[in-house]
Amino acid sequence: MPKISVIVPIYNAEKYLERCVKSLIAQTFHDIEILLIDDGSTDDSGAVCDAYAQRDGRIRVIHQKNRGLSGARNAGLDAAEGEWIAFVDSDDTITPDFCEKLYAAVQDTGAQMVVCNYRQVDEALTPIREQYLHVRREVLTPEQALEHSTLLPYMVVWNKLYHRSIFAQLRFAEGKLNEDTLLIAYAYEKADRIANIPDALYL
């Protein structure tokens, strides 16, 4: 059982996919599995996924008919074997220490979720604009996390690490918009505590 399962939903993301996968392979925390969910892509995304799976044994590829973003993430949750879960979108990247720092935070605090800051960047990974980074170093109760949920870092799923127990009976609502916001409130309620770290680890 790997410590962390990283789930990547993919649909026609050929232009960005290699950069995304390379950022996962480059993690300083090695005990991970990388689940690439090819959600019925009509470009060469599926072939890119298969090529990387041949190079790195930590990568598993799931090819499925198009179910949308929520359906792809749900397929990843159904297949994940890790004790902890993270989501990375296929047109984004993470810093090399993303998994290491988030895992250290949950170990240090005993939290079931950890949230980090993110930065908006261009294709050269240069910040697009100056951002106010909302996430400070603290540990929140579910109620406190919900009070923060109007701030973007708290209403999305991709800048976090979750204990797998949070998803034991929780899945994304398929066929609906704002699926992150729909799910995240329930996820907070299933955690005893939520750790925050100020590091901007998601790009």
Side-chain angles (χ1 to χ4, degrees), residues 32-75:
I32 64 174
E33 66 170 352
I34 301 166
L35 298 170
L36 304 180
I37 315 301
D38 173 25
D39 191 42
S41 296
T42 57
D43 64 1
D44 285 335
S45 293
V48 172
C49 292
D50 291 338
Y52 273 98
Q54 291 180 348
R55 302 179 206 173
D56 194 315
R58 298 173 299 171
I59 296 176
R60 285 196 285 151
V61 182
I62 296 174
H63 299 281
Q64 65 180 26
K65 293 181 179 179
N66 182 260
R67 291 170 51 188
L69 180 57
S70 292
R73 285 177 174 154
N74 287 340

Side-chain angles (χ1 to χ4, degrees), residues 14 16 53 126 128 148 188 190:
E14 178 185 2
Y16 305 102
T126 303
I128 294 173
H148 286 56
Y188 286 140
K190 293 180 180 296

